[in-house]
Amino acid sequence: MDSLDKKVFEMFSGRVVPKGATKKIKDSANVPTYVLEYLLGTYCTSDDEMEIAAGIEQVKRILADNYVRPDEAEKIKAKIKENGAYTVIDKLSVKLNEHIDQYDADFLFLGIKGIYVHPKYVRDYDKLLAGGIWCIVDLTYFYNEDEKNQSPFVINDITPIQMPNLDKNEIINARQNFSKEEWIDFLLRSCGMEPTQFEYRIKWHLLARLIPLIENNVNTCELGPRGTGKSHIYKELSPNSILISGGQTTVANLFYNMGRRQIGLVGLWDCVAFDEVAGINFKDKDGVQIMKDYMASGSFARGKEAIQANASMVFVGNINQSVDYLQKTSHLFEPFPEAMIDSAFFDRMHCYIPGWEIPKMRPEYFTDNYGFISDYFAEFLREMRKVPETDAFDKCFRLGRCLNQRDTIAVRKMVSGMTKLLYPDGNYAEAEIEEILKYGIEVRRRVKEQLKKIGGMEFYDVQFSYVRLANMEEVFVPVLEQGGGKLIPEGNGKPGHVYTVADGTNGMKGLFKFEAAMTEGSGRFDVTGMQSAKETKESVKTAQNYFRANAKQISASISIDTRDYLMHIQDCQGVGLDSNISLAAMTAYCSCALDRPVQAQMCVLGSMSIGGTINKVEELASTLQVAFDAGAKRILIPMSSAADIPTVPADLFAKFQISFYSSPEDAIVKAIGIE
């Protein structure tokens, strides 16, 4: 036992277990952690190693004798018959058999179905009706020849695997005996993690996973590499959360069954988590819409009624590409199914935990030290859901002007959840609540940054900040993955390299790069990267023809007939090749022919016709935002777009050195700098 273990055992005797014991048994008994620790909490409450070892052996015997393994189901049924009675540990689910007006129970591993259940158990443990819960069940066997259609198995008693009672003040009062660092480490050990193996920032990400269990109606998302333990908390730690692993669900199952007039999972569980978000699929067409309604307000409409519920929604999944690649080419919500790629849906997300920062789990990351019994810890989290702390920072701070109402709600929920985790006694200093506020703003800003990529200028305000009321100093909160790695590199590029922003075939604006080269030849033009995009080919053909016809007017040194021109077009963000790229293509040809690069970090906007007519830039504000995010510092804009400048936010327009052009030749002069 280390010093923290000693303090924990002194403060919470009988409420903690050695997590190493859990780990030892867990490897051989495939039961949820809260089931296992319910037993360990009964038989391993001592700090004496001999007694702990004896308790572990006792738990092993109970699991060996009473826990139902699927391959031994028939053996257990035979024991019930031969002994007349037997106690089993299994997952029990109940449904109403309306044909005979009774509740029937199904045993997950024992394989017995349609066993009569007394209504009192349904009334006391309503989660039996919503997917089932793990229980200790006393069964007897009575075969009646007169009722051959009735199962001979009889349920005498049901004991849910849950703590029978909890005094949350026990934990609240004890919190003052721990420093912040000690309490964080103890919470992580209660989740089965060894805190000494993680950096401080990683600890906060791991704690953020608990917020949906301690705060009502929180919507969180965590995407990252495989093997980082994203779903562990929601599957193993708490009997009050349910993990939907298959992905497919229905409105009736999740929200409300109108036929049975029965509320779904959101009304019966504290937290509903979706594993592998890429596989989420609603059988009902209106499923996503109802989910959006619920995520925004904590209520939903079915039939004539508006129904309230408190369940938090959690979405976890895997990112198959690097974060840097996704940042450049798409957005960090890409793993979600197409039906959910909607700015209105993601705007209801309160928190995005950066799963890519959490290392893949290794044996040394799991603790052998003491932590709360999982059931006890889960019940504490549940009790704390009743205590709001959304105003925790109001005395010392206020949120910046860029946070709208949904942003404010999201930050307050995250602050409330983290405050209740770290300071359940409400005893915190200004610096400590500021730390929580920064984290709450960061995880919401991560959502908003991706919304900006998906929804454009509607979500332009992402410069989240807070103000210290003592001196009115404004502090801006960044997100780490937004820094560096711009698509348009700093410094001068090579001759023939030109960037532009245009509409993609998928409806989003994206960055395109042109790379032109020149060789000895006979006036041939070869282009790669266009694939089969007809409009793109026509746009490039326009640039080639104009270049042939007007090259000498641009510069007498340009040779057409004795040179071959090669060009590659790169769709930098995967939005699909566009047709309005003629001016950028011609600029690339001229830059290559003159062996002079365009100005550093310049983006050439606009397009032209074969006759040299310049077309204005559509949605100028969104176009400039994409250019800025890509790393552009200089912008070349057609004069015809000058009338749209008032639509551009002033602070965005001020980010660039702006040049206007009136003709293709004027654009070339200003882009390359020739006279």
Side-chain angles (χ1 to χ4, degrees):
M1 297 176 70
D2 61 15
S3 59
L4 180 57
D5 277 345
K6 292 176 181 177
K7 185 181 289 189
V8 163
F9 200 83
E10 180 185 346
M11 296 292 165
F12 301 109
S13 180
R15 306 298 193 188
V16 292
V17 292
K19 296 292 179 173
T22 305
K23 191 166 53 174
K24 287 178 184 177
I25 304 177
K26 181 73 174 164
D27 293 337
S28 57
N30 189 22
V31 296
T33 302
Y34 55 82
V35 174
L36 186 54
E37 292 189 356
Y38 177 88
L39 299 173
L40 288 171
T42 305
Y43 299 101
C44 298
T45 57
S46 173
D47 62 345
D48 184 87
E49 291 189 6
M50 296 286 291
E51 292 185 21
I52 291 174
I56 291 174
E57 291 304 314
Q58 178 68 9
V59 171
K60 285 181 177 179
R61 282 195 296 273
I62 291 171
L63 289 173
D65 294 338
N66 304 110
Y67 170 63
V68 180
R69 291 168 176 78
D71 59 335
E72 295 182 351
E74 294 302 319
K75 181 180 174 181
I76 297 294
K77 285 193 276 188
K79 283 187 178 181
I80 301 171
K81 178 181 184 303
E82 296 302 322
N83 298 338
Y86 201 75
T87 300
V88 300
I89 299 173
D90 201 351
K91 189 173 184 180
L92 197 66
S93 59
V94 175
K95 59 185 177 183
L96 174 65
N97 188 340
E98 62 269 22
H99 301 295
I100 55 176
D101 190 30
Q102 73 174 37
Y103 292 104
D104 290 343
D106 296 345
F107 290 77
L108 178 63
F109 292 146
L110 195 56
I112 305 175
K113 297 185 177 183
I115 313 299
Y116 170 74
V117 177
H118 196 281
K120 72 174 182 179
Y121 295 115
V122 176
R123 289 193 296 269
D124 293 343
Y125 317 122
D126 56 2
K127 287 181 183 177
L128 289 167
L129 296 165
I133 55 177
W134 285 83
C135 302
I136 300 172
V137 187
D138 292 334
L139 288 168
T140 57
Y141 188 91
F142 178 74
Y143 182 76
N144 190 341
E145 290 188 355
D146 297 331
E147 298 181 3
K148 294 184 178 180
N149 294 328
Q150 187 174 338
S151 174
F153 297 97
V154 180
I155 295 175
N156 285 339
D157 189 36
I158 298 174
T159 305
I161 304 293
Q162 287 180 268
M163 296 293 294
N165 53 63
L166 171 79
D167 180 10
K168 69 179 181 190
N169 291 323
E170 183 181 21
I171 297 176
I172 292 172
N173 295 332
R175 169 63 181 91
Q176 62 186 338
N177 299 299
F178 296 82
S179 68
K180 180 187 70 175
E181 290 73 21
E182 287 177 333
W183 188 250
I184 288 175
D185 289 355
F186 178 47
L187 290 178
L188 291 178
R189 284 179 175 177
S190 298
C191 298
M193 303 291 146
E194 178 46 55
T196 58
Q197 299 293 318
F198 299 105
E199 296 177 359
Y200 186 69
R201 178 172 168 82
I202 306 301
K203 293 180 183 181
W204 278 70
H205 297 332
L206 296 174
L207 289 176
R209 292 174 173 175
L210 294 171
I211 291 178
L213 298 173
I214 202 171
E215 188 72 20
N216 293 324
N217 299 114
V218 170
N219 311 312
T220 71
C221 166
E222 182 182 349
L223 303 179
R226 293 168 176 81
T228 56
K230 294 185 290 293
S231 59
H232 169 77
I233 291 291
Y234 314 109
K235 185 178 182 181
E236 301 284 353
L237 181 69
S238 174
N240 304 317
S241 70
I242 186 169
L243 182 71
I244 301 175
S245 300
Q248 185 160 301
T249 187
T250 63
V251 171
N253 179 50
L254 192 58
F255 296 106
Y256 190 77
N257 190 317
M258 295 184 66
R260 297 179 179 176
R261 300 185 67 82
Q262 188 177 80
I263 197 164
L265 300 178
V266 297
L268 299 168
W269 299 88
D270 291 347
C271 174
V272 179
F274 293 87
D275 197 9
E276 302 295 344
V277 294
I280 297 176
N281 178 37
F282 274 97
K283 291 183 178 180
D284 317 78
K285 292 183 179 179
D286 59 346
V288 175
Q289 190 59 45
I290 294 174
M291 182 179 280
K292 286 196 293 188
D293 184 19
Y294 175 74
M295 290 170 67
S297 62
S299 64
F300 56 92
R302 293 295 284 165
K304 298 179 180 179
E305 298 182 44
I307 301 167
Q308 301 281 337
N310 294 321
S312 295
M313 306 287 279
V314 176
F315 303 87
V316 297
N318 301 319
I319 290 179
N320 298 317
Q321 298 90 9
S322 71
V323 174
D324 187 53
Y325 176 80
L326 285 177
Q327 283 284 89
K328 291 179 179 179
T329 61
S330 182
H331 52 81
L332 297 179
F333 285 122
E334 189 181 57
F336 277 81
E338 188 176 348
M340 288 184 170
I341 303 294
D342 175 15
S343 59
F345 173 75
F346 294 129
D347 197 22
R348 289 154 168 80
M349 209 74 74
H350 299 137
C351 164
Y352 191 139
I353 301 171
W356 52 88
E357 294 185 19
I358 300 172
K360 291 192 175 188
M361 293 294 111
R362 300 200 299 262
E364 60 266 29
Y365 291 167
F366 298 96
T367 189
D368 291 326
N369 299 81
Y370 281 83
F372 279 132
I373 296 171
S374 291
D375 248 354
Y376 182 74
F377 186 38
E379 286 305 305
F380 168 71
L381 296 175
R382 188 176 206 191
E383 281 297 307
M384 291 300 291
R385 293 170 73 92
K386 303 172 184 176
V387 182
E389 286 284 356
T390 53
D391 60 348
F393 62 86
D394 285 347
K395 291 182 180 178
C396 304
F397 309 96
R398 65 172 173 81
L399 299 176
R401 60 182 179 82
C402 285
L403 284 86
N404 61 27
Q405 181 63 15
R406 279 189 176 159
D407 301 327
T408 301
I409 291 171
V411 172
R412 288 189 178 278
K413 282 183 176 290
M414 295 304 297
V415 168
S416 177
M418 194 65 81
T419 302
K420 288 186 288 188
L421 275 173
L422 299 185
Y423 310 102
D425 56 350
N427 185 17
Y428 45 80
E430 181 177 333
E432 292 169 333
I433 200 66
E434 184 175 12
E435 185 180 31
I436 292 175
L437 178 59
K438 277 185 179 178
Y439 188 81
I441 292 175
E442 179 200 325
V443 293
R444 171 59 184 178
R445 178 174 174 176
R446 185 168 290 108
V447 173
K448 208 63 178 289
E449 289 282 0
Q450 307 317 307
L451 284 172
K452 186 176 69 173
K453 293 176 180 272
I454 298 170
M457 291 308 297
E458 181 184 353
F459 304 100
Y460 167 74
D461 291 329
V462 296
Q463 300 301 318
F464 285 5
S465 64
Y466 63 92
V467 178
R468 296 187 178 117
L469 296 180
N471 56 10
M472 299 308 292
E473 178 187 2
E474 187 171 15
V475 180
F476 289 88
V477 180
V479 286
L480 296 183
E481 66 272 9
Q482 292 299 124
K486 299 295 188 181
L487 290 170
I488 303 176
E490 295 183 2
N492 289 319
K494 296 180 179 179
H497 289 198
V498 176
Y499 293 91
T500 189
V501 174
D503 292 322
T505 55
N506 66 356
M508 296 176 61
K509 291 187 178 293
L511 185 76
F512 298 87
K513 182 182 181 182
F514 297 80
E515 298 179 5
M518 180 178 63
T519 63
E520 297 288 336
S522 57
R524 281 183 58 191
F525 288 82
D526 290 326
V527 183
T528 59
M530 290 191 296
Q531 301 173 355
S532 59
K534 182 180 177 182
E535 293 82 2
T536 307
K537 291 180 180 178
E538 291 177 355
S539 191
V540 172
K541 192 71 173 177
T542 297
Q544 292 169 353
N545 290 336
Y546 193 91
F547 179 59
R548 279 195 182 100
N550 300 279
K552 294 298 181 183
Q553 296 180 27
I554 296 169
S555 176
S557 62
I558 296 178
S559 175
I560 301 290
D561 298 332
T562 60
R563 299 285 190 274
D564 286 346
Y565 292 89
L566 313 174
M567 179 181 287
H568 178 74
I569 305 174
Q570 181 182 350
D571 180 4
C572 300
Q573 296 177 309
V575 297
L577 290 170
D578 185 72
S579 58
N580 300 318
I581 56 174
S582 49
L583 183 71
M586 204 205 56
T587 305
Y589 283 130
C590 292
S591 172
C592 162
L594 295 167
D595 195 28
R596 297 185 62 167
V598 299
Q599 296 185 56
Q601 295 175 273
M602 171 168 274
C603 198
V604 178
L605 305 182
S607 62
M608 66 181 193
S609 68
I610 187 67
T613 302
I614 300 297
N615 302 316
K616 68 178 289 187
V617 179
E618 299 295 334
E619 299 179 17
L620 180 62
S622 297
T623 303
L624 290 178
Q625 183 64 60
V626 173
F628 174 72
D629 292 340
K633 297 288 180 66
R634 294 179 172 88
I635 299 290
L636 200 57
I637 303 176
M639 191 64 73
S640 54
S641 293
D644 295 335
I645 290 176
T647 65
V648 182
D651 53 343
L652 175 61
F653 194 78
K655 301 285 187 184
F656 304 105
Q657 294 181 26
I658 305 289
S659 298
F660 294 94
Y661 65 90
S662 56
S663 66
E665 292 80 6
D666 187 26
I668 302 301
V669 168
K670 290 174 178 175
I672 302 175
I674 61 175
E675 301 295 335

